[in-house]
Amino acid sequence: MRTKLAVMLAGFALLCLAVPVVAHHAVGAEYDASKPVTLKGTVTKVEWTNPHARIYFDVAGPDGTVKNWNVELAARSALARQGWTARSLKIGETVTVEGHLARSGVSGVNARSVTLADGKKVFSNNNDQ
C-alpha cells in the first residue's frame, strides 16, 4: 500500500514539474516568420510580466482607422540584460516595431526590434526562433 502511494506521489510530482515545459510556446507556432511587418505608432500600455513582456500601441492604418497592436517581447531577464527596464518606454511615446505577424490574424506581433522616434533601439531580439 505504501509503495503504491509513493509511486503515485512520485508520478504526480513529475507531472507537476513537466507543466511549465509544456506551457511555454514555440514562437513559430504563434507567429509567422514569412510575414515580417514594420509598424509605427504610439505606446498605450507596457506590461513588464513573465514569461514575456508586452507593449501595446496604436497604429493608424492607411484609411485613418486606429488599431491597437499587442507586441510580444522577450523574457524580462533577457530584456534586463539589454538594459531594458519597465520604464524604457513611456505611454504616449512613438515607437517603430519590426517583427512577425500573429498567425491567428489578431493584431499581434512578435518583436524583432523596437526603436524610439530618435532612432535609439531599446530592444533587439537577435534570436531566430
Side-chain angles (χ1 to χ4, degrees), residues 96-115:
T96 300
V97 173
E98 295 178 43
H100 300 114
L101 290 175
R103 290 185 183 277
S104 67
V106 299
S107 301
V109 175
N110 178 258
R112 306 314 289 163
S113 69
V114 177
T115 307

Side-chain angles (χ1 to χ4, degrees), residues 70-89:
N70 173 350
V71 180
E72 181 178 293
L73 302 168
R76 288 179 6 184
S77 59
L79 295 171
R81 284 192 297 274
Q82 292 186 30
W84 175 283
T85 70
R87 292 177 207 66
S88 291
L89 292 178

Side-chain angles (χ1 to χ4, degrees), residues 16-25:
C16 289
L17 291 172
V19 170
V21 173
V22 174
H24 192 269
H25 64 274

Side-chain angles (χ1 to χ4, degrees), residues 39-128:
L39 300 167
K40 184 176 182 177
T42 306
V43 176
T44 59
K45 183 178 180 181
V46 177
E47 290 182 348
W48 188 250
T49 57
N50 280 321
H52 298 279
R54 294 183 179 275
I55 60 172
Y56 298 84
F57 71 129
D58 286 339
V59 177
D63 61 357
T65 59
V66 175
K67 190 183 288 187
N68 191 256
W69 286 77
N70 173 350
V71 180
E72 181 178 293
L73 302 168
R76 288 179 6 184
S77 59
L79 295 171
R81 284 192 297 274
Q82 292 186 30
W84 175 283
T85 70
R87 292 177 207 66
S88 291
L89 292 178
K90 297 183 182 24
I91 306 303
E93 194 163 24
T94 300
V95 295
T96 300
V97 173
E98 295 178 43
H100 300 114
L101 290 175
R103 290 185 183 277
S104 67
V106 299
S107 301
V109 175
N110 178 258
R112 306 314 289 163
S113 69
V114 177
T115 307
L116 301 178
D118 66 4
K120 177 184 175 193
K121 277 195 177 180
V122 290
F123 171 66
S124 180
N125 185 359
N126 296 322
N127 298 332
D128 292 316

